[in-house]
Amino acid sequence: PDNPTVLGVSVSARLIAAGLDRATPVAVIENATRTDERVLAGRIDGLGDLVENGVIDGPALLVIGKVAAQAQPRDVSATRDAA
């Protein structure tokens, strides 16, 4: 799907249906390594809302599992603009 929210809901629903714990941590990294990088963090059962509310419009990586629990939500571009 072209809509990231639909993709997020589809991915999470399929993984939960396959037995993944609904509380599994996820992180979405938009524009990784770029000056406008953003990191959104949440749980797999809220992935659709996370993507929709975060308004993802750049390329994004989806990280699922224990390592995603270490993600620190951030918006590098907001920090840069404030400087």
Side-chain angles (χ1 to χ4, degrees), residues 39-81:
V39 178
L40 308 173
R43 295 172 18 153
I44 193 73
D45 62 356
L47 181 59
D49 290 335
L50 184 69
V51 171
E52 182 175 11
N53 295 335
V55 189
I56 301 295
D57 23 312
L61 299 171
L62 174 60
V63 181
I64 302 171
K66 292 179 183 179
V67 70
Q70 305 301 313
Q72 299 296 316
R74 68 181 179 276
D75 185 340
V76 174
S77 62
T79 304
R80 184 191 72 241
D81 293 342

Side-chain angles (χ1 to χ4, degrees), residues 2 4 9 12-13 16-17 21-23 35-36 40 42 45 49 65-66 69 71 73 75 78 82:
D2 292 332
V9 171
S12 61
I16 291 168
D21 185 339
R22 300 176 70 83
T35 58
D36 56 346
L40 308 173
D45 62 356
D49 290 335
K66 292 179 183 179
D75 185 340

Side-chain angles (χ1 to χ4, degrees), residues 11-37:
V11 167
S12 61
R14 288 178 184 214
L15 290 172
I16 291 168
L20 187 66
D21 185 339
R22 300 176 70 83
T24 300
V26 296
V28 178
I29 307 167
E30 179 186 24
N31 298 320
T33 75
R34 294 175 34 178
T35 58
D36 56 346
E37 176 183 293

